[in-house]
Amino acid sequence: MDKTYNESEETPAQLRERLETLRMEHRDLDDAIQRMVEHPPYDQLKMQRLKKRKLTLKDRISDIEDRLIPDIIA
């Protein structure tokens, strides 16, 4: 039987590695969006897709950060 991917089985080291990869992709999208804005006219649909992908990455980054940093009630 094939083992399915399960984020909860990742080690902290694997999570940190994936976090860095997602952060790099997020920065790359930010750069691509900025280049498009600086050189109009640009494809609105492509811009929307890039922004949506960037928001999805931000959510995934936040989820991983939450898993790596325990909640400490002060």
Side-chain angles (χ1 to χ4, degrees), residues 33-61:
I33 290 168
Q34 186 60 38
R35 282 192 304 273
M36 286 179 72
V37 169
E38 291 172 355
H39 299 95
Y42 53 84
D43 184 346
Q44 288 289 332
L45 183 58
K46 184 175 181 179
M47 176 69 79
Q48 286 177 327
R49 287 179 178 158
L50 290 174
K51 287 183 175 184
K52 184 175 181 178
R53 175 69 180 150
K54 187 177 167 195
L55 286 173
T56 301
L57 287 172
K58 183 178 179 185
D59 289 342
R60 290 176 64 194
I61 288 167

Side-chain angles (χ1 to χ4, degrees), residues 3-20:
K3 183 177 179 182
T4 57
Y5 178 73
N6 186 349
E7 285 185 355
S8 64
E9 294 177 4
E10 287 183 302
T11 66
Q14 290 170 320
L15 286 172
R16 282 189 289 276
E17 184 177 322
R18 195 154 62 90
L19 180 61
E20 187 55 36

